[in-house]
Each structure stands twice: as structure tokens, then as C-alpha cells.
Amino acid sequence: MTTLTVLPSGKSYDVAAGTSLLKALQSVGEAINSKCGGEAKCDACHIFVPVGRKSLSKTQRQENEKLDGIVGVSSNSRLACQAILGEEAVTVELLK
């Protein structure tokens, strides 16, 4: 288990390590968009990860290509469907 903190609400949850951020967020009832079913084909689940980025899985080619086409991307950007949780606590900021 690991701790997932969600901004802007500041709520924290214990979630299973080894799951995607998208599935973890959905399992705790946080509202996050996903149009492609978690296949990195859309940008609906774009989030910022201000804390714990190194605990997440490495960004793969398909995710990088999708992030390159999104306006407002930063070094904290990830697609929630592609980022797999590790053992360390992570804070994510959901975008509206």
C-alpha cells in the first residue's frame, strides 16, 4: 500500500502499489476523465505530480508522444493511465 494525496481537495487515500494512478483515483471515487480506456490515446487523464514522481513508473514512448501534444504540459505532467504507483507516497493535482 502507498499513500495517494489528491489536490486541490487535499484528501489522502491508502491505495495499492502496482496499480495505475487512473485506477487508484477511480477506486477512491475521485473524478478523473478517461476517454480511451487507459491506452494513452487521449489526453483526458493528464495530471500534475508535484510530489513523488520518482516513485512512479518511468514515462514510456507512447506517453511521451501524447504529452508532447498537450498544451500546458510541465515536467510534473503524467497521464494517469500510464503512471504505475510504487511504494512511496505520491501527490497528484487533478486538472479541470
Side-chain angles (χ1 to χ4, degrees):
M1 297 296 273
T2 189
T3 301
L4 174 62
T5 302
V6 181
L7 300 176
S9 71
K11 292 181 181 177
S12 292
Y13 307 95
D14 288 328
V15 295
T19 60
S20 73
L21 279 172
L22 178 64
K23 287 182 181 178
L25 289 163
Q26 289 172 332
S27 74
V28 297
E30 289 286 344
I32 182 163
N33 291 325
S34 176
K35 295 178 184 174
C36 70
E39 296 183 24
K41 293 182 179 180
C42 71
D43 61 4
C45 67
H46 173 228
I47 57 170
F48 292 126
V49 184
V51 177
R53 288 187 315 275
K54 292 184 179 184
S55 178
L56 298 174
S57 60
K58 295 194 181 293
T59 307
Q60 300 298 312
R61 193 185 106 236
Q62 186 177 8
E63 181 181 4
N64 270 329
E65 289 174 357
K66 186 51 69 178
L67 287 171
D68 284 345
I70 300 173
V71 175
V73 167
S74 76
S75 62
N76 295 340
S77 290
R78 289 298 303 260
L79 295 180
C81 68
Q82 299 299 299
I84 306 301
L85 287 160
E87 297 292 331
E88 295 178 33
V90 174
T91 299
V92 299
E93 182 179 352
L94 300 181
L95 306 173
K96 299 291 177 199

